[in-house]
Structures are given as structure tokens and as C-alpha cells.
Amino acid sequence: MCGVEGKGSKGGMRMGIMRGGGGERLEKLKSSRMKLWMIRATTSVLLWTCIVQLTAVGETWGPRVLKGWPSCFSHQDPSLSVIEDKAPSVTTRVLPPKRIYKNNGYLMVSCNGGLNQMRAAICDMVTIARYLNVTLIVPELDKTSFWADPSEFQDIFDVDHFITSLRDEVRILKELPPRLKRRVEMGMVYSMPPISWSDISYYCNQILPLIQKHKVIHLNRTDTRLANNAQPLEVQKLRCRVNFSALRFTSQIEDLGKRVIKLLRQNGPFIVLHLRYEMDMLAFSGCTQGCNNEEVEELTRMRYAYPWWKEKIINSDLKRKDGLCPLTPEETALILRALDIDNSYQIYIAAGEIYGANRRMASLAASYPRLVRKETLLEPSDLGFFQNHSSQMAALDYLVSLESDIFIPTYDGNMAKVVEGHRRFLGYKQTILLDRSLLVDLIDQYNSGSLSWNEFSNAVKESHASRKGQPTRRSVIPDRPKEEDYFYANPEECLQPSYGRLGST
């Protein structure tokens, strides 16, 4: 109570002072507060009116204003909106509508091998994700293979185009949602390699239940996991759409590829020779034709150094006679001459470093003096960014290979097959598919004197008259899928007139 009384006494003294001389001041204070309140209220109304008006015209002027701002204002996700530019010189990109479906879970994939091995795997995994009604996470590329290329998907392919161009088929994300991402980072993810050459029913019956159970599943070693044949037509068409339309290289790779092609075109016709005679190929295959003893020992040591290369003891001569070795540079020179390839043509070597270097390339250079490579056409500074990135270098060779007058692979590896199929899609551009088992026999006969040059040349030309990438049916061997024709070398379902063109790369 004492506290209350004390406050009352002081309060009474203050009131007495205000009654005596502060009444007028009190009235002025109340008037000032009222005016201030009115000003604030009026200002708020005016501001609100301006906001409403700006909102009404925001769709018309907003994008044009924001377009001129840097950084976060100008870089928006193309999957979220499309800004229509009415300038006649700019083509507005129309995105396909999003496909709406019940998401069964998330699919992570790790591709293995070189560029074209991974390219085909990506096409398969997109197709599988679409028919399982799951969300695909942008594929992880191989960084542990022989090439040790640290490139990510977005370093090689236009990732935004990949995602948006396929949005009417499958939902693709750059990474998992945060909660699932944390689980994966903690090692809580179901990971497995799918069975090779499986049809789409295997994924529906075996893989989908695992995704529904675990919510997210990780597939590793994804090469050749979808069968070549006996798949529904829509499955085959989607594989082609991904390969020929959705997988577009980055603008940096595309622009440099165009420069190389322009430089070649300025000097007349050119042939791309995919001379698969690099050290890794020879060590892996055990093919040592023309190598000296020191080189044979070096290649053997390398083969034993990689435990996942299963075959260790290899008879090079037998393997060559079976047509399982890449042609040597010397053998290739003979074949090009036998096919009457004009020696005034430019020969673009699409390959890494040739094993044996100048010594092994001497006969080819003597027969075809206009040998060129990307390293000789471009300045070192042009390729500086691509050094130690074998997949990005291979992407350049891929682009040049597509545009060449003739494409000749000396070995039927992944690049040879995928480029062959892509050239078929582009209008059956000439691709000479060498019959190596026949050719090495003819070469041996010619070198031993059993065949004259004319006999040798005629035999080579006659045996390859129908091996130039013409329309043909894919071979089907149901019980031996590894021996049948590869889907991506001849995607005949996508080459029918009724299918039409999917787009350009």
C-alpha cells in the first residue's frame, strides 16, 4: 500500500502543474498528433494505390525492367517461366508442357566408361525413369575410369536444356530434395547394378518395388542395361529423343566444334578417321601388332595394373585374325588407298595420343599428307580449358565426326557405334564400316605377295560396297545380346519415315 500512496502523491503534484500552466500546451500537442496521424494515413493510402497500379501493369513492364538488371534478377530458372521477347530477331522458345504423374520415388544413376558409353547409358536411364514414373536425378559421370576425367554432367552437356526439353516425359532434378539428400550423404541409400540387356519389364517388376520401398535407389554401372531389341516402340523412340535432341553439348563445346568444322570446310572435303590406336585400347585388348618388345612389355604391365580388366593373357595374333583388334595406322593407310580415298582430302584424326607417335604414323602421313587434328587446327589457348578433360575433348571429336563427308572408324567401340547411329539419323551420311577380320587376311596376303595391288584393292572395294551406313535391319540374337547389333549404332525404329525428325544437336 505504501508504494501506491507514494505514486498517488507524485501524480497529484504533476496534475497540479498541468492545470496551472500547461493546459494550452496539452491542446497543441493533441492537435499535432492528430495532424501527424492524418498525414500517415494519407501517405499509406497513396502508397497502396501505387502498388495496386504497378501490380496491374507488372506483367507488361516488369520483365522488361528486370531484364536489364544484373545477377539474380536476370538469371532465372528456365523451367519456371519463359520471357517472351517480341523483337523479330529473337525466336521465342516454347517449352513442352510438364507431364503430370504420381511420383513413385527418386532414381540416382552413376554412369561408367568414356563419353559415348555414358551417353548411351543416360538415354537408357531417362527412358527407364519415365516408364517407372519416378524422378530422375541428373546422372553422375564416371571419374574413376582410366581417363580420370573430373567433368560433371553440366561441364559436358547443357543441363538446363536436358531438363526442360524432357519435362513432358519425365521429371528431372539437379539434386535430391534436402531430406533425402541428407540420408544419401549418410550412406543410407540402396545401391545396385541392374542386370545387363534387360527389357523394360525387368525394371517394372524388379526395380520399381525397390524404389517404392526405399523411396530413392542408386543404380551403378549403367552401360548396356536396357536390351537392344523387343522393346515397345515408344521406349525406342524415347531413347532416340534423348540421344538426338535432349543431350546437347554445352555452348562452349558447341562453339569450339563449329570453329573446327569451319576451318576444315574452308579447305575442302574432309574425312574423320577414328583411329582407335591409343595406349589404353592396346593394353586392354592385348593387340600389339607392329609394336616392339619394349612396347609389348609396357602394354602388358598396364593391363595387369587395372584389376577390372579381366582378360590378362592374350594372344595378339589370334585376336587380330578374329577381327577383334583395331587396325594399325599402317594397315589403315593401305585400306584408305585401296578404297581410292583421294589423297588431297583432309584426314581429321579423331583420337587421343597415338601409341608409337610419329614412328607409327609415318606411312599414313606419307600416303595422306593433309593429316590434321584439333590440336593442329586450334591454338593451345583454345584447348587450354579442355586439357585433362578427355570427355570434353571427345565431345569435340564427336561434333566434327557428325559433320564429316565420310566417317571411318578403325574399331567398333562406343564412339564408332554411337556416331554411326547419329549419322544414320542425320540422313544416312556415309560411314565406312570396316570388316576387320576380312581386311587383315587380305592385308597379309598382299604383304606376302599372294595378291597384286589391283586384286587387293578390288577385293577391299567389293567387300565394302554395302558397308557404308546404308539402311539395314539390326541383327537380333535373343540368347546372345552382346553379339547382336547395338541399338545406338542403328536405331532403325527412329529412322522410319513415319517417325520424322526429332530435332538437331
Side-chain angles (χ1 to χ4, degrees):
M1 286 184 70
C2 295
V4 173
E5 288 178 356
K7 287 182 179 179
S9 175
K10 291 180 181 178
M13 187 180 295
R14 285 198 296 267
M15 289 297 292
I17 295 172
M18 291 178 68
R19 286 192 189 101
E24 185 178 345
R25 290 174 60 191
L26 180 61
E27 292 300 323
K28 287 182 179 182
L29 182 60
K30 288 182 178 180
S31 176
S32 298
R33 289 179 177 174
M34 181 63 71
K35 289 179 181 179
L36 181 60
W37 182 87
M38 291 295 293
I39 291 171
R40 287 178 177 174
T42 304
T43 303
S44 298
V45 171
L46 288 173
L47 286 173
W48 181 251
T49 303
C50 291
I51 291 171
V52 171
Q53 292 297 321
L54 287 172
T55 303
V57 297
E59 291 184 0
T60 302
W61 295 102
R64 298 185 184 182
V65 173
L66 294 179
K67 193 173 182 181
W69 284 70
S71 186
C72 57
F73 288 102
S74 59
H75 297 289
Q76 50 186 324
D77 188 345
S79 67
L80 299 178
S81 65
V82 179
I83 298 175
E84 181 180 358
D85 191 339
K86 296 184 179 180
S89 60
V90 178
T91 302
T92 301
R93 182 185 176 195
V94 179
L95 297 178
K98 287 185 178 180
R99 177 169 171 258
I100 306 301
Y101 61 91
K102 181 182 177 182
N103 182 33
N104 287 320
Y106 296 84
L107 177 62
M108 300 173 63
V109 297
S110 293
C111 303
N112 58 295
L115 174 67
N116 294 285
Q117 189 172 342
M118 293 190 292
R119 184 187 185 104
I122 292 166
C123 297
D124 287 352
M125 292 299 115
V126 169
T127 304
I128 290 164
R130 187 260 182 258
Y131 285 96
L132 297 186
N133 284 338
V134 299
T135 296
L136 177 69
I137 306 304
V138 168
E140 178 186 20
L141 303 188
D142 192 342
K143 301 177 185 62
T144 61
S145 67
F146 167 82
W147 301 277
D149 188 336
S151 300
E152 302 286 356
F153 185 99
Q154 63 270 18
D155 297 325
I156 300 173
F157 300 107
D158 184 336
V159 66
D160 292 324
H161 173 76
F162 175 70
I163 292 171
T164 57
S165 66
L166 292 168
R167 63 191 231 145
D168 60 330
E169 292 285 359
V170 62
R171 182 174 177 237
I172 304 175
L173 299 178
K174 293 181 180 179
E175 59 181 20
L176 285 166
R179 182 176 60 85
L180 293 176
K181 184 179 179 182
R182 285 193 295 272
R183 282 177 51 188
V184 171
E185 290 172 346
M186 294 170 62
M188 300 169 59
V189 60
Y190 189 91
S191 184
M192 63 172 286
I195 297 174
S196 298
W197 311 112
S198 299
D199 59 29
I200 200 69
S201 63
Y202 160 78
Y203 291 93
C204 292
N205 298 331
Q206 302 294 324
I207 302 300
L208 180 57
L210 292 173
I211 297 176
Q212 292 173 323
K213 176 182 178 181
H214 298 282
K215 192 62 176 176
V216 57
I217 191 172
H218 173 239
L219 298 183
N220 52 54
R221 297 196 62 81
T222 52
D223 63 317
T224 63
R225 303 295 148 157
L226 188 57
N228 292 312
N229 302 297
Q231 301 307 301
L233 182 59
E234 58 269 21
V235 167
Q236 305 292 58
K237 287 183 177 181
L238 182 53
R239 296 168 89 178
C240 289
R241 177 178 170 185
V242 181
N243 191 22
F244 303 134
S245 181
L247 281 179
R248 186 167 67 189
F249 294 122
T250 64
S251 58
Q252 186 175 20
I253 294 174
E254 294 270 353
D255 291 344
L256 197 55
K258 290 174 183 176
R259 281 183 56 193
V260 174
I261 294 164
K262 183 179 179 181
L263 290 169
L264 288 165
R265 285 274 175 240
Q266 288 174 350
N267 295 310
F270 71 94
I271 295 170
V272 167
L273 181 65
H274 184 42
L275 190 60
R276 193 71 171 93
Y277 206 75
E278 301 102 333
M279 185 179 182
D280 65 295
M281 168 52 66
L282 301 181
F284 173 75
S285 64
C287 298
T288 56
Q289 178 75 11
C291 295
N292 57 40
N293 290 335
E294 290 181 1
E295 290 171 335
V296 172
E297 291 177 4
E298 182 180 38
L299 294 173
T300 302
R301 286 196 301 271
M302 182 178 184
R303 183 164 65 252
Y304 276 90
Y306 289 88
W308 53 88
W309 291 355
K310 302 300 182 183
E311 196 175 11
K312 302 299 182 185
I313 302 174
I314 300 173
N315 187 315
S316 177
D317 291 334
L318 289 178
K319 200 162 188 178
R320 175 177 174 269
K321 289 183 181 297
D322 289 338
L324 300 177
C325 287
L327 293 180
T328 67
E330 298 89 349
E331 292 170 338
T332 302
L334 278 176
I335 298 306
L336 294 183
R337 287 173 52 207
L339 289 169
D340 290 337
I341 300 295
D342 194 327
N343 66 358
S344 67
Y345 279 18
Q346 300 167 93
I347 306 291
Y348 177 93
I349 304 297
E353 183 179 353
I354 301 302
Y355 191 62
N358 293 336
R359 177 178 69 85
R360 300 305 301 270
M361 292 293 288
S363 60
L364 184 58
S367 298
Y368 293 90
R370 299 185 68 191
L371 291 179
V372 294
R373 304 172 61 99
K374 51 187 171 292
E375 292 86 354
T376 61
L377 291 169
L378 299 170
E379 297 295 330
S381 57
D382 295 324
L383 290 171
F385 181 81
F386 297 89
Q387 294 299 327
N388 302 318
H389 294 81
S390 60
S391 291
Q392 295 181 50
M393 297 286 265
L396 286 176
D397 284 342
Y398 186 95
L399 290 172
V400 179
S401 299
L402 292 184
E403 294 299 321
S404 62
D405 296 282
I406 305 174
F407 176 66
I408 307 176
T410 62
Y411 185 74
D412 56 353
N414 289 291
M415 177 169 173
K417 292 175 181 177
V418 177
V419 169
E420 174 195 346
H422 205 148
R423 287 173 66 87
R424 287 178 184 272
F425 176 77
L426 293 174
Y428 296 101
K429 301 176 77 170
Q430 186 173 170
T431 301
I432 299 179
L433 306 170
L434 302 177
D435 185 342
R436 293 189 305 281
S437 60
L438 172 66
L439 289 176
V440 295
D441 181 54
L442 291 174
I443 289 169
D444 289 345
Q445 291 185 58
Y446 171 71
N447 286 334
S448 67
S450 300
L451 289 178
S452 68
W453 174 257
N454 286 338
E455 290 172 330
F456 171 70
S457 179
N458 289 336
V460 172
K461 284 183 282 194
E462 289 174 8
S463 61
H464 287 77
S466 60
R467 296 176 64 87
K468 296 183 179 180
Q470 302 99 321
T472 184
R473 304 296 295 182
R474 225 172 33 243
S475 70
V476 180
I477 311 175
D479 57 335
R480 298 198 305 275
K482 290 184 179 180
E483 298 177 25
E484 62 187 10
D485 288 342
Y486 191 39
F487 172 79
Y488 292 101
N490 183 18
E492 60 184 66
E493 296 89 340
C494 309
L495 309 178
Q496 300 168 2
S498 60
Y499 185 47
R501 299 297 291 272
L502 285 168
S504 60
T505 56

